[in-house]
Amino acid sequence: MASLLKNHKIFLFVFFIFLIVKLFSLFVVADIWWDSAVYLGMGKYIYSLGEVGLWEDSRPIVWPLILGFFWKIGLDAIFFGKLLVVLFSLGILLLTYLIALDIFNRKIAIISALFLVFSQTFFLFSNILHAEIPSTFFVLLGFYYFLRKRYSLSGLFFGIAFMTRFFQIFSFMALASVLFYLFMRKKMPYSNLFYFSLFFLIPTIPYLILNWILYNNIFHPFLLQSFMTKYTGWVFS
């Protein structure tokens, strides 16, 4: 413990200051954003089998499943959802530090953590009930295991990230391309790419089956999301 405090004292100081500030923010009353309300409504819809809540077929379901679980067991889904986002944010901060420490050195790891903490976007969304923070945590966890050559776990967490936010598919595609390149150059066996992709499909295939049952089209949510990306953002411009 003494060695840990000595070697990582700057990061631990930043980590606990961020923790205190974000825990305090949980008790600040604020309006629920639209997307947050949708995720909460979808969670209720899932666990009530459609009796309450709402359903938007353009969204992935991991985050609604988590928020809806709090509601199902009688907890305040808003408070505990925000608390979970704070914990995911702390996980992102820790993983950023560990990944930078692994690839570079302690100095760059500290700088990376500081850049992240003082990022306005990260600080703002670190207690908002959107899918960006949870999905980013799973992406970084997948990348952390990728660096350690544990490709099965890495693929699994990238699959969970994709089922939390569709655009995280690009993170998986980038690393799958790296493994494919290394295989073609005969620098690693095909099994690494196979297990990386196989475990990515574990959380993905049940969702595709659900799409077939609900819409008769396994790609319906992705096509709808693509359409909405093109035509529903003008109001924000």
Side-chain angles (χ1 to χ4, degrees), residues 2-229:
S3 176
L4 177 67
L5 292 173
K6 179 180 178 181
N7 294 331
H8 307 286
K9 57 185 177 182
I10 297 177
F11 170 74
L12 291 173
F13 175 78
V14 173
F15 183 89
F16 284 110
I17 290 297
F18 180 79
L19 170 62
I20 292 170
V21 171
K22 298 314 294 187
L23 288 179
F24 175 78
S25 72
L26 294 177
F27 301 97
V28 177
V29 178
D31 292 335
I32 299 297
W33 291 14
W34 169 255
D35 285 25
S36 302
V38 171
Y39 288 125
L40 289 163
M42 288 179 66
K44 294 179 180 181
Y45 192 93
I46 292 170
Y47 286 97
S48 68
L49 300 179
E51 291 186 7
V52 297
L54 61 97
W55 183 257
E56 286 194 4
D57 46 355
S58 63
R59 299 178 186 267
I61 61 172
V62 166
W63 191 227
L65 280 171
I66 295 173
L67 294 177
F69 177 75
F70 291 131
W71 172 78
K72 183 65 176 179
I73 63 176
L75 296 177
D76 183 343
I78 295 175
F79 177 83
F80 283 95
K82 288 182 176 181
L83 176 60
L84 186 58
V85 175
V86 169
L87 296 177
F88 278 134
S89 300
L90 291 168
I92 290 173
L93 181 58
L94 177 61
L95 287 168
T96 299
Y97 181 78
L98 292 176
I99 290 170
L101 190 65
D102 186 51
I103 298 176
F104 302 105
N105 54 52
R106 190 182 309 161
K107 179 180 178 180
I108 293 180
I110 293 171
I111 294 173
S112 302
L114 289 173
F115 267 111
L116 180 63
V117 164
F118 289 107
S119 163
Q120 295 177 356
T121 303
F122 176 73
F123 193 84
L124 173 64
F125 281 87
S126 56
N127 64 347
I128 301 295
L129 298 177
H130 284 197
E132 284 85 349
I133 292 294
S135 66
T136 301
F137 169 79
F138 291 124
V139 163
L140 286 177
L141 192 58
F143 187 58
Y144 177 80
Y145 282 114
F146 186 90
L147 291 175
R148 278 156 178 70
K149 299 180 175 19
R150 300 183 66 177
Y151 300 112
S152 298
L153 274 177
S154 177
L156 177 64
F157 285 117
F158 275 107
I160 296 173
F162 175 49
M163 288 293 95
T164 309
R165 191 166 189 264
F166 291 146
F167 288 104
Q168 302 293 15
I169 185 67
F170 296 109
S171 303
F172 167 79
M173 292 171 61
L175 293 184
S177 299
V178 170
L179 292 179
F180 180 75
Y181 171 80
L182 293 174
F183 163 69
M184 294 300 294
R185 296 296 298 271
K186 303 186 186 308
K187 293 184 177 180
M188 67 167 45
Y190 174 75
S191 59
N192 291 339
L193 176 60
F194 174 78
Y195 285 111
F196 182 68
S197 303
L198 177 65
F199 276 75
F200 172 83
L201 292 174
I202 290 176
T204 306
I205 288 179
Y207 181 71
L208 298 178
I209 294 173
L210 178 65
N211 290 342
W212 179 260
I213 295 172
L214 295 177
Y215 318 116
N216 292 322
N217 183 349
I218 62 174
F219 300 115
H220 170 75
F222 312 121
L223 297 174
L224 181 57
Q225 183 65 247
S226 177
F227 173 84
M228 294 176 64
T229 300

